[in-house]
Amino acid sequence: WLTPFLAGLISQNITAEKQALSLLEKIDNQLSLVDESETQKTASFAQARDRQPATISWLSHSEYFEEPRGTRFEHYWFQKLEYVLWKDEKNRSKTKFKNYRITAKNSVEHVYPQNEEYKNKIKEKHLHAFGNLVLLSPGENSSYSNQAVEKKLVDFNAKSQFDSLKLKAMFGLLEAKGKWRPSQIREHQKEMLNLLTSHYEERG
């Protein structure tokens, strides 16, 4: 992204922060949807020359999230969603939000655990769905372990900052509905995909 970003700043004579951010979001959106016939490198050079790389539509790619991929989901989509959630946050004055930072994470956590401590289970298509997953650091992941979801919520609320804004959204839904079951997993997944859809529609 750096090559087309620098090229765009120069060619479009961008000096304002808002314009630079808009350019960077557009570059990222295009690179995330690059067609298999093109590499990220060739796509970025096309962008640097102010050409549209070969991409697929967001609508086509969104089908990717319909499969219960579990830990095989690309970490990129969790990280991108953290940014979209951060940008969309309405109550930015809360201390926990002010303390929150988007950092590199590499451990996919099942919020409804794979081996729940009380041996309760849900179907694998819900267990491994994007709506039941969050990206955490290994330390954060191990701190939640195989606890029941309600216990994870207590631990999450006791912390001085949010581990993840996606997790914050999940636990907000849990508190609103009083449980975390397949219907809440589907609802959360739909909400997250709607946010991503809006982001792609805004930036192209």
Side-chain angles (χ1 to χ4, degrees), residues 79-95:
Q79 293 161 338
K80 186 183 185 92
L81 191 52
E82 285 296 300
Y83 169 71
V84 173
L85 286 163
W86 174 84
K87 189 178 178 183
D88 192 61
E89 177 66 37
K90 301 297 187 293
N91 192 348
R92 309 181 78 84
S93 61
K94 283 188 175 181
T95 301

Side-chain angles (χ1 to χ4, degrees), residues 4 26-28 30-31 42-51 53:
K26 183 176 181 180
I27 289 169
D28 177 65
Q30 288 181 351
L31 288 178
T42 58
S44 67
F45 284 147
Q47 289 176 322
R49 297 185 181 96
D50 201 25
R51 296 204 309 265

Side-chain angles (χ1 to χ4, degrees), residues 1 3 20 30 33 47 57 67 71 90 98 110 116 150-151 153 156 160-161 178 191 202:
W1 59 268
T3 298
Q30 288 181 351
L33 298 177
Q47 289 176 322
S57 69
E67 295 294 322
T71 57
K90 301 297 187 293
K98 287 184 175 180
H110 289 73
E116 200 253 15
E150 293 76 12
K151 286 187 177 181
L153 171 62
F156 179 82
S160 61
Q161 66 185 49
E191 288 175 357
E202 287 172 9

Side-chain angles (χ1 to χ4, degrees), residues 11 21 30 37 48 65-66 71-72 77 86 92 100 115 117 124 129 132-133 135 138 140 145 159 162 187 193 195:
S11 65
L21 180 60
Q30 288 181 351
S37 64
F65 299 95
E66 294 177 8
T71 57
R72 293 183 292 111
W77 294 108
W86 174 84
R92 309 181 78 84
Y100 169 77
N115 300 295
E117 60 182 327
E124 296 221 337
N132 188 48
L133 303 171
L135 192 66
E140 291 165 346
S145 187
K159 296 185 179 185
F162 300 125
E187 184 176 345
L193 291 181
L195 281 174

Side-chain angles (χ1 to χ4, degrees), residues 12 16 22 25 72 127 161:
Q12 299 175 41
S22 178
E25 289 178 347
R72 293 183 292 111
L127 179 68
Q161 66 185 49

Side-chain angles (χ1 to χ4, degrees), residues 3 6 17 23 28 36-37 40 52 56 74-75 82 85 92 97 99 102 104 108 119 130 148 152-153 171 201:
T3 298
L6 293 174
E17 182 179 329
L23 171 64
D28 177 65
E36 292 180 356
S37 64
Q40 291 279 303
Q52 168 77 35
I56 61 173
E74 293 178 34
H75 291 183
E82 285 296 300
L85 286 163
R92 309 181 78 84
F97 182 77
N99 291 340
I102 296 176
V108 175
K119 310 303 180 186
F130 188 71
K152 292 182 179 183
L153 171 62
F171 283 149
E201 288 175 348

